[in-house]
Amino acid sequence: MIDLKDRTAIVFGVANKRSIAWGIAQKLNQAGARLLITYQNERLKLEAEDMIAELPGAEAYQCDVSNDAEIDRLFATLKEKHGKLDILVHSIGFAPADALKNDFLQTSREDFRIAHDISVYSLIALSRAAAPLMTAGGSILTLTYYGSTKVVPNYNVMGVAKAALEATVRYLAADLGRRNIRVNAISAGPIKTLAARAIGGLGLMLKSHEERSPLGRNVQQSEVGSTALFLASDLASGITGEVTYVDCGYNIMGF
Ligand code: NAD
Ligand code: 0WE
């Protein structure tokens, strides 16, 4: 059993119960960690607070990661209230809907900027804010997808952003390693979350993954949660800068 008693974890990216971030928060909570959950805006506040009531001792904070002032304010509050932080989970990705519909060739400068700001730069900003609180070492995790290395139709600028995110994981791991702060990514197979459901043809994609993956099925939110728990724990003390696939083996297949 992994024991995260006396550890504090902050999780970004909970929109609803289907969120990968929620699956991760539950596993961390079951292992005994104190959970701090952030939600993006006022619109998500009520649902987030209702859900958080299920996690004993958890606290909710609002933070839009495109806003430096909100990030600064959040970490100033955390420093005051908790002093120390051990685990940070970044489960955030966004590109304007048009960029995931049109040909990749048509990607606008503004859509490229937004996708990279929200999906990539935010990991750098959050890591920089969190590192000074990780005084006993730490584990930083983010979520990526196969479309970073292979062309997945319509994933478009998100694929380019995920490639940048995976490189960012390596550069952050190198910068933070001497402080015993590890930085890793989980590459999850497709899961029917809010962000994924907005995409046309998700049903067909899930069916094809099920057929082609070595395990003959799709991955579950709870399985991504378990891997996150492992990577956040001391069991993974020798792992940093890595991308761990949690996709029922889909990525190893050539055909
Ligand atoms: P989700 O919609 O539940 O989560 C996305 C989260 O990003 C939401 O909570 C949203 O509020 C947050 N977000 C967007 N813009 C933000 C901003 N400016 N400030 C703060 N938060 C913001 O969907 P999900 O599938 O759980 O996505 C989580 C992560 O997992 C994303 O990085 C996604 O790319 C990745 N991922 C998803 C899948 C999948 O198939 N669902 C597969 C692999 C990787
Ligand atoms: O990373 C993702 C989803 C990312 C995402 C989704 C949306 C939908 C709503 C980012 N931005 C937006 N913007 C919106 O306005 N996934 C890994 C899930 C996903 O998205 C795809 C996929 C898969 C899988 C898009 C095209 C093809 C496959």
Side-chain angles (χ1 to χ4, degrees), residues 152-167:
V152 172
N154 298 322
Y155 199 59
N156 296 358
V157 74
M158 275 306 296
V160 178
K162 291 302 194 190
L165 180 70
E166 291 171 19

Side-chain angles (χ1 to χ4, degrees), residues 13-16 18-21 40 44 63-66 91-94 118 143-145 155 158 162 188-196:
V14 173
N16 59 34
R18 285 178 181 258
S19 295
I20 292 176
Q40 184 184 350
L44 295 171
C63 183
D64 184 325
V65 298
S66 63
S91 185
I92 289 173
F94 180 79
I118 308 295
L143 272 296
T144 186
Y145 175 61
Y155 199 59
M158 275 306 296
K162 291 302 194 190
I191 299 177
K192 211 177 191 174
T193 60
L194 188 65

